[in-house]
Amino acid sequence: MARKVTLYTAQWGDMSLETICSKAKEFGYDGLELACTENHLDITKISPQYCDHIKSTLARHGLELFTISNHTVGQCVCDRIDGRHKMILPARIWGDGDPEGVRRRAAEEMIKVGEAARMLDVNTVVGFTGSPIWHLFYSFPPVLPEEIEKGFHKTAERFMPILDAYHRNGVRFALEVHPAEIAFDISSACRFLKTIDHHPAFGFNYDPSHLGYQGVDYVAFIEIFAERIFHVHMKDVWWSDVPTKAGVFGGHLPFGHRDRFWDFRSVGRGKINFEEIIRALNRIDYQGSLSVEWEDNGMDRKHGAAESLRFVKEIDFRPSDVTFDSAFEKT
């Protein structure tokens, strides 16, 4: 095994930190990627003492902490806010629901998340940005190019203070490239990097499951953004080889529905070619952890988490330190 394997805790938010630590150790994980939830990492309680408590809890279970994540609050920094966001936000961020107030409070909290990372001795925060232009992803009625350009600049304007604060704290932000974010494929990721003038605190949480079913070259993503791969999610996705009743856009069907063209699957049970991912990560000399984000509506999560760990440890390998035919060279 070349890298440490961690479990992302968002899908286990109903468990206490003590319980998920115990479970992760039982499964055999090396550490955790802690989600900023009330049960795992409560941002309202951030203090040196609280962070010491979290670190000591993990240490007691023989686990390491590699990164922390806050996707839901990050989503609301740049999004077009509506009633859906109330379901994913704590009341302190939602407030009275006024969109500008929600975005402002979300940005303030994301800065606090960076401060929490520093106190927890981790250097990467994973999350979302949201997008003021995602609703324009399909260009009909026709979308004017300046509308898209304005959306990229608006996102940069809102997120730059967060990135500046992270940079001052020695922390990096890793955007999970994902539909509904300002960057959802290689093209949009390149464009946003250019818009923020390649800010040193900004990079990516590489998650192939959000790229594969779109038809995006998820292996090329690693090499194009080699210096910006700050974190890696091991997450799988399945897509159909034949036409389905609901295509790539989902047909408004829930995850797990048999008529969908694509769906998330437990690691190793979808169509992502993880061996090519490992080889690409080796080529760019990625030394970070591999974090299992387990999502599969058709499988028990405890079974899936244990099985995913075994798969990741089996598929990961160190690059060779010699060329295969070097033994034939004359000395």
Side-chain angles (χ1 to χ4, degrees):
M1 181 189 68
R3 302 169 183 89
K4 297 294 181 68
V5 185
T6 63
L7 181 66
Y8 177 38
T9 69
Q11 287 75 27
W12 311 78
D14 56 315
M15 296 182 179
S16 68
L17 178 62
E18 189 74 35
T19 300
I20 189 55
C21 283
S22 178
K23 289 290 183 185
K25 188 63 178 178
E26 177 186 330
F27 297 146
Y29 282 89
D30 300 304
L32 297 179
E33 173 189 346
L34 276 184
C36 292
T37 61
E38 184 177 344
N39 281 344
H40 298 164
L41 176 56
D42 189 341
I43 295 301
T44 67
K45 296 180 179 178
I46 289 300
S47 69
Q49 295 75 21
Y50 178 69
C51 291
D52 285 344
H53 165 71
I54 289 175
K55 289 188 286 187
S56 65
T57 301
L58 269 72
R60 190 169 65 253
H61 290 275
L63 298 171
E64 299 177 66
L65 180 62
F66 292 88
T67 190
I68 63 176
S69 300
N70 197 333
H71 291 74
T72 55
V73 173
Q75 181 70 30
C76 298
V77 173
C78 303
D79 237 17
R80 288 164 55 94
I81 304 299
D82 58 41
R84 298 170 302 159
H85 297 84
K86 185 177 183 179
M87 296 186 293
I88 65 171
L89 285 175
R92 65 181 180 275
I93 306 297
W94 177 256
D96 61 3
D98 173 68
E100 191 55 37
V102 172
R103 286 188 285 262
R104 176 179 53 78
R105 288 186 291 273
E108 291 170 352
E109 180 130 328
M110 287 304 291
I111 290 174
K112 291 179 182 178
V113 174
E115 295 169 354
R118 178 176 51 79
M119 283 189 269
L120 288 165
D121 301 323
V122 297
N123 67 358
T124 302
V125 172
V126 173
F128 289 154
T129 59
S131 170
I133 53 173
W134 173 248
H135 65 294
L136 304 177
F137 81 97
Y138 195 85
S139 192
F140 189 85
V143 177
L144 297 174
E146 49 265 36
E147 290 183 86
I148 302 301
E149 186 69 11
K150 182 179 178 181
F152 274 88
H153 282 282
K154 191 65 174 176
T155 303
E157 177 186 322
R158 291 187 180 279
F159 228 82
M160 196 68 79
I162 299 171
L163 297 177
D164 289 342
Y166 279 30
H167 190 52
R168 288 192 297 271
N169 276 318
V171 176
R172 311 174 299 181
F173 178 76
L175 168 63
E176 186 167 334
V177 175
H178 184 293
E181 310 312 315
I182 195 62
F184 55 92
D185 56 15
I186 292 173
S187 177
S188 54
C190 286
R191 187 167 182 172
F192 189 60
L193 265 174
K194 182 178 180 181
T195 305
I196 59 173
D197 196 25
H198 295 78
H199 196 291
F202 181 85
F204 300 112
N205 173 55
Y206 174 73
D207 186 330
S209 72
H210 303 301
L211 303 173
Y213 75 87
Q214 290 190 67
V216 177
D217 189 336
Y218 55 84
V219 176
F221 188 101
I222 294 171
E223 295 176 328
I224 290 169
F225 301 111
E227 296 181 357
R228 300 278 172 165
I229 305 295
F230 293 166
H231 192 247
V232 171
H233 272 178
M234 298 294 273
K235 184 175 162 197
D236 213 340
V237 65
W238 166 91
W239 60 89
S240 179
D241 294 323
V242 298
T244 55
K245 293 180 180 178
V248 174
F249 301 133
H252 296 299
L253 296 178
F255 288 113
H257 197 287
R258 67 182 305 277
D259 291 336
R260 286 176 61 93
F261 171 74
W262 67 273
D263 222 331
F264 296 124
R265 292 281 175 88
S266 192
V267 183
R269 292 182 177 269
K271 290 196 171 181
I272 295 298
N273 189 330
F274 284 101
E275 177 165 340
E276 289 305 312
I277 287 172
I278 294 301
R279 290 180 183 274
L281 291 174
N282 284 343
R283 286 194 292 272
I284 70 167
D285 195 31
Y286 174 76
Q287 297 292 323
S289 63
L290 301 176
S291 185
V292 170
E293 183 184 12
W294 186 85
E295 290 186 9
D296 188 329
N297 279 344
M299 182 184 290
D300 174 77
R301 63 179 173 175
K302 294 187 290 296
H303 176 95
E307 178 185 82
S308 295
L309 174 65
R310 292 193 297 270
F311 177 87
V312 174
K313 288 196 172 186
E314 178 67 26
I315 199 68
D316 192 26
F317 52 86
R318 295 182 183 276
S320 176
D321 58 359
V322 297
T323 58
F324 72 90
D325 58 354
S326 61
F328 298 103
E329 294 177 3
K330 294 181 179 180
T331 57

